[in-house]
Amino acid sequence: MAPRLFLSSGDLRADRRFEFARDLQMKGDLLAAADLLLQAIELVPDFTTAWFTLGGIREELGERDAAVAAFEKAQACDPADRHGAALRLMRLGAMPLAAMPEAFVQTLFDQYAPRFESALVGQLDYCGPDLLLRAVLSVRAGERKPAFFKRAIDLGCGTGLAAAAFASGVDHVIGVDLSPRMIERARATGLYAELEVADMLQGLRTKPDASANLILAADAMVYVADLAPVLVEAARVLAAGGLIAFTTETHSGDGVILGEGLRYAHAATYVRATLEAAGLNLSLLQDRSARNEGNMPAPGLVVVAAKA
Ligand SMILES: C[S@@+](CC[C@H](N)C(=O)[O-])C[C@H]1O[C@@H](n2cnc3c(N)ncnc32)[C@H](O)[C@@H]1O
């Protein structure tokens, strides 16, 4: 489960009321919890965490309009949107599908970093890097080419699990991630020649044309709504014959949706069309789950595409 973010109101009395409200919420007394949150908000009207928590409670109570109003308040109190109120508004249909707030992703993974591997690998059966490795090996075997890559870029590198999986097949790996704490962990592995705290699109934009032979994104595209700009940049940065390999979550409809786990799911038809529009040739697309969601494998895709 994602860690819960608390942003103090700066007022001890309001913070205490918030803590009591959380206790009541945990015990299932949602009405009393909402009442206490309103008291906290009366003391500090721009208490972001209280508004955000109230939004969740209103949603649980089936009060959609009140939930939307509370999430909008949370968003207005913290325009960077570290809680990700925008995602809740998208899920409630009160906002069109849009990019994830950068501060939300950064805060989420900064908090997650110390227990990321035990939570994801240990509890959610995460196997994204291994799926990518097998997919790339199978594409290379089909092409009768060695699975060795001189220069690789790992987008959304996290703590470095993908670089570890590919360690024997790459010379020089650049890791890019929005979360400084995840980057710290990646640095400690010693597997990366370079590491950058950056959005993956910005990270790609700073790379010269034809400067990479392999681009990886293990469980990172699920945080990117619109894959088109990233794939266009990846196509520019890949050298001829280079590969991009990524996992994503998927759904049986069309286009892109925000799933219940607040990660994007890309339809296979969308992935195919977006790769084609970027000038990349699809080499492999498999239905494979990289991790569990609610004790069930989350429907997913493993994708490998090549630059001609
Ligand atoms: C679930 S983790 C996966 C980490 C790693 N690839 C692995 O396989 O263990 C997702 C990572 O993607 C990063 N991330 C999400 N959106 C990003 C973006 N737009 N640009 C760069 N990194 C991003 C997060 O900070 C997080 O570290």
Side-chain angles (χ1 to χ4, degrees):
M1 191 194 222
R4 194 171 277 274
L5 174 66
F6 174 71
L7 303 173
S8 171
S9 67
D11 177 319
L12 213 57
R13 293 165 308 155
D15 283 3
R16 280 221 190 92
R17 278 177 175 75
F18 175 82
E19 289 305 325
F20 290 142
R22 281 283 298 139
D23 283 348
L24 289 168
Q25 184 188 12
M26 307 277 262
K27 288 177 187 146
D29 193 346
L30 300 182
L31 290 174
D35 196 49
L36 262 175
L37 287 172
L38 287 171
Q39 290 178 32
I41 287 165
E42 206 173 307
L43 288 168
V44 181
D46 63 354
F47 190 175
T48 311
T49 301
W51 278 118
F52 183 78
T53 307
L54 184 62
I57 288 177
R58 295 293 190 216
E59 200 178 342
E60 269 189 79
L61 287 168
E63 300 169 6
R64 182 206 174 260
D65 292 350
V68 167
F71 286 132
E72 283 175 349
K73 275 285 193 186
Q75 207 183 21
C77 294
D78 177 29
D81 198 8
R82 285 167 285 179
H83 282 285
L87 298 176
R88 308 297 288 268
L89 290 166
M90 290 178 218
R91 286 282 309 161
L92 286 165
M95 227 186 105
L97 195 83
M100 259 185 216
E102 231 178 78
F104 165 73
V105 176
Q106 206 167 54
T107 309
L108 176 70
F109 284 99
D110 274 355
Q111 284 191 297
Y112 231 146
R115 61 186 190 86
F116 171 79
E117 290 187 13
S118 59
L120 204 64
V121 183
Q123 294 162 23
L124 300 177
D125 286 342
Y126 177 58
C127 58
D130 190 45
L131 288 177
L132 290 188
L133 178 64
R134 286 174 199 220
V136 167
L137 290 178
S138 116
V139 166
R140 277 307 212 217
E143 293 172 338
R144 299 185 182 281
K145 285 185 189 161
F148 179 77
F149 303 88
K150 206 164 166 41
R151 293 181 69 88
I153 303 175
D154 184 5
L155 301 174
C157 64
T159 56
L161 294 176
F166 280 82
S168 60
V170 288
D171 237 8
H172 180 282
V173 191
I174 301 174
V176 180
D177 200 288
L178 269 175
S179 157
R181 296 270 177 284
M182 295 295 263
I183 287 280
E184 270 171 28
R185 302 254 155 181
R187 197 178 307 284
T189 66
L191 292 167
Y192 292 89
E194 296 170 46
L195 282 159
E196 297 169 17
V197 176
D199 172 73
M200 63 172 82
L201 180 58
Q202 301 311 323
L204 282 173
R205 281 190 175 141
T206 59
K207 305 294 170 294
D209 292 359
S211 58
N213 311 101
L214 178 67
I215 297 179
L216 300 169
D219 206 33
M221 297 304 199
V222 292
Y223 300 98
V224 179
D226 182 3
L227 298 185
V230 174
L231 295 179
V232 166
E233 274 306 293
R236 182 188 63 76
V237 169
L238 280 173
L243 299 180
I244 175 164
F246 61 93
T247 61
T248 190
E249 289 184 14
T250 195
H251 64 110
S252 54
D254 293 323
V256 186
I257 60 165
L258 184 66
E260 270 180 46
L262 301 181
R263 293 184 303 278
Y264 301 107
H266 304 96
T269 47
Y270 168 87
V271 171
R272 285 177 190 277
T274 314
L275 285 168
E276 194 183 328
L280 291 161
N281 298 328
L282 185 63
S283 310
L284 173 148
L285 187 142
Q286 296 171 321
D287 280 302
R288 294 276 187 285
S289 176
R291 60 139 99 183
N292 287 348
E293 172 84 42
N295 289 327
M296 297 283 289
L301 299 174
V302 177
V303 183
V304 182
K307 168 95 172 267

